Amino acid sequence: MKLAALPNRAVLEISGEDRITFLQGLVSNDVTKARADQAIWAALLTPQGKWLADFFVIATPEALLLDVEAAQLAMLITRLSRFKLRAKVALRDASAEWRVHAAWGEGVPSEGLVARDPRLPEAGWRVLAGTGLSCNASPADYAAHRLTLGLPDGSKDMEAEKSVLLEGGFDELHGISWTKGCYMGQELTARTRYRGLLKRRLVPVSIEGPAPGRGVPILTLDGAEAGEMRSSQGAQGLALLRLEWLDKGALMAGEARLTPQPPPWMKLPEDKP
């Protein structure tokens, strides 16, 4: 089993007797299903249904712990606080008490608060620990692991107030509840699904040559626009690609040659009944 500390993550604690109903009406997934040993993956959207942030929610008897991107923590606290009104909830940065880790491979971590990553079995575990654990892998190792699986990582792969959840695989990766009821941004999310409006997807790509930076345009060999690069690690990356170019062979981004590698879990238009 591999275990890596993730210093770019933070922990937001939501406490108070109304914490579950408060968060339930705001995020894309069913908060009632979060447990101490089973995280849920959810996103906060704009009222227009565009991505703002995503996070793992882990429930303890006293609070909801949100494993969030550290760079988005202050924004999340500010935005969520706007909806408190008379709800009996408190939000605070609990990163001093909890450090975020990821584990994957054979076995189950034996220390800390251990919750299964809900996206894919191969994704492994999210681990919150009060002190630093003994790690045998680096953040770069974890990045390579999640890129191989095609898992997005917050603002590295999504674009605030522009990305829609279905582009990032939130449907197939269990980041959306279609039955829980209303939440902010639900209407566009549902319309995108049921009307088949999706034109682009975040897709794993193998990279030959120097890895292109985030936002570098991706072109076909004939020079047509195919998408743009997102995050990468070594010879593996994620790219936001137009669907019509996924099965047309190699693409170019700067000096690099990219080959799309849609993962088995990804439902593409031809896979739909």
Side-chain angles (χ1 to χ4, degrees):
M1 181 184 67
K2 298 292 186 182
L3 178 69
L6 303 180
N8 67 328
R9 306 292 294 183
V11 176
L12 169 58
E13 179 190 272
I14 303 179
S15 59
E17 61 185 83
D18 296 336
R19 61 188 182 274
I20 294 177
T21 54
F22 167 73
L23 195 61
Q24 181 79 325
L26 296 173
V27 303
S28 64
N29 215 337
D30 189 347
V31 179
T32 66
K33 294 184 178 180
R35 305 195 305 268
D37 62 349
Q38 178 65 63
I40 66 161
W41 187 44
L44 178 69
L45 307 178
T46 68
Q48 296 75 31
K50 301 302 177 66
W51 178 91
L52 283 172
D54 61 77
F55 34 80
F56 298 93
V57 183
I58 299 169
T60 72
E62 300 82 23
L64 298 174
L65 301 177
L66 276 58
D67 165 358
V68 308
E69 188 174 348
Q72 294 185 314
L73 177 63
M75 178 274 290
L76 272 173
I77 291 176
T78 298
R79 285 188 177 262
L80 292 175
S81 295
R82 295 175 185 172
F83 298 97
K84 284 176 60 176
L85 302 176
R86 297 182 180 179
K88 296 178 180 178
V89 294
L91 291 79
R92 72 180 186 92
D93 179 0
S95 305
E97 294 124 72
W98 299 104
R99 299 179 185 177
V100 181
H101 304 72
W104 66 100
E106 296 296 326
V108 180
S110 58
E111 297 181 78
L113 188 60
V114 180
R116 182 171 291 280
D117 188 320
R119 296 172 294 179
L120 293 172
E122 300 90 339
W125 306 82
R126 308 299 291 190
V127 183
L128 305 183
T131 58
L133 302 179
S134 179
C135 298
N136 58 4
S138 68
D141 294 328
Y142 176 69
H145 172 66
R146 63 105 184 158
L147 287 165
T148 299
L149 296 176
L151 305 178
D153 185 10
S155 62
K156 294 182 179 68
D157 300 302
M158 306 288 284
E159 194 168 4
E161 301 190 33
K162 292 186 179 181
S163 296
V164 297
L165 294 190
L166 272 66
E167 289 178 347
F170 278 72
D171 187 7
E172 302 100 309
L173 295 171
H174 315 295
I176 302 171
S177 170
W178 300 107
T179 60
K180 75 162 194 165
C182 295
Y183 59 88
M184 190 164 61
Q186 178 194 26
E187 184 178 351
L188 181 135
T189 304
R191 188 164 66 243
T192 302
R193 183 195 196 200
Y194 294 116
R195 294 186 181 178
L197 301 176
L198 203 62
K199 296 181 179 179
R200 306 182 300 176
R201 291 297 303 261
L202 274 174
V203 180
V205 292
S206 62
I207 305 170
E208 298 177 49
R214 189 187 189 283
V216 170
I218 298 173
L219 305 176
T220 69
L221 299 182
D222 295 329
E225 182 179 344
E228 62 182 55
M229 194 67 193
R230 290 295 192 250
S231 64
S232 65
Q233 181 67 45
Q236 194 68 39
L238 276 183
L240 183 64
L241 297 177
R242 295 186 65 84
L243 294 177
E244 63 262 33
W245 297 113
L246 293 189
D247 58 355
K248 299 295 193 296
L251 303 167
M252 299 299 297
E255 299 178 12
R257 187 181 181 95
L258 309 180
T259 303
Q261 299 177 320
W265 58 260
M266 185 175 289
K267 298 176 183 176
L268 297 173
E270 58 270 25
D271 298 328
K272 295 180 181 179

